[in-house]
Amino acid sequence: MDQKLPNAQTVLILGIVSVVGSCCCTGLIGIICGLIGLNKYKSDKLLYDANPSQYSDFGNLNTGRILCIIGLILGILQVLYFIYILATIGWDGYMQQMQDLTKMGRG
């Protein structure tokens, strides 16, 4: 009888949220979801390794792990870029750039 791993779908969803959160929001969302997903992956991987023939959805678990890693890397890169921007132009320069970007579309 094949069972589903308890956190396989959760890891997959956290991986997707991690990638989307890194790309569309701040990198912190990607980092947090990626770390939580990798932690849940670790516990399910131990269950799967104990009895591989009992579980059927290891593919979802592995895909979620890959997405968590990608989201984690993207989040870290985004946070490092933000720190670099703040170190080079400062907060006032960053806010000026954001204001210029919002005025750009108004013509």
Side-chain angles (χ1 to χ4, degrees), residues 3 10 13 28 32 46 54 60 63 66 79 85-86 102:
Q3 294 178 345
T10 305
I13 291 170
L28 293 176
I32 291 169
L46 292 174
Q54 188 177 1
N60 284 345
T63 302
I66 292 168
V79 168
I85 291 295
L86 289 180
T102 56

Side-chain angles (χ1 to χ4, degrees), residues 42-93:
K42 183 179 173 184
S43 64
D44 270 11
K45 178 76 165 115
L46 292 174
L47 283 175
Y48 180 79
D49 287 342
N51 194 358
S53 61
Q54 188 177 1
Y55 299 106
S56 63
D57 59 347
F58 183 71
N60 284 345
L61 185 69
N62 208 24
T63 302
R65 177 183 147 247
I66 292 168
L67 288 172
C68 284
I69 291 170
I70 292 170
L72 187 63
I73 291 169
L74 289 174
I76 289 170
L77 289 174
Q78 188 171 5
V79 168
L80 289 175
Y81 178 72
F82 185 70
I83 291 170
Y84 170 75
I85 291 295
L86 289 180
T88 55
I89 63 173
W91 184 256
D92 292 333

